[in-house]
Amino acid sequence: MTSLPYPQPPERCLMVLIGASGAGKSTLARTWPASQVLSLDALAVQSVTTSLSSSAC
């Protein structure tokens, strides 16, 4: 991982990236490990999968 040009965020925090198109939000987000990125799409899939598996019991 490359060195970060900004202070390290606290271990437990929620960071929201807001800015104009082309401001570097995606580039900044790519510096974090995938395990630290909250994806609403991934949560939706997990929610549906959990719901389907629990209703099959």
Side-chain angles (χ1 to χ4, degrees):
M1 187 165 143
T2 62
S3 65
L4 304 175
Y6 52 86
Q8 188 70 19
E11 186 175 323
R12 293 185 173 264
C13 74
L14 176 65
M15 187 176 299
V16 179
L17 302 179
I18 301 171
S21 177
K25 301 176 296 293
S26 296
T27 301
L28 176 62
R30 277 193 288 272
T31 66
W32 294 313
S35 63
Q36 296 181 351
V37 176
L38 177 65
S39 166
L40 294 179
D41 291 335
L43 289 175
V45 168
Q46 181 180 359
S47 173
V48 169
T49 304
T50 302
S51 176
L52 291 175
S53 64
S54 64
S55 66
C57 295

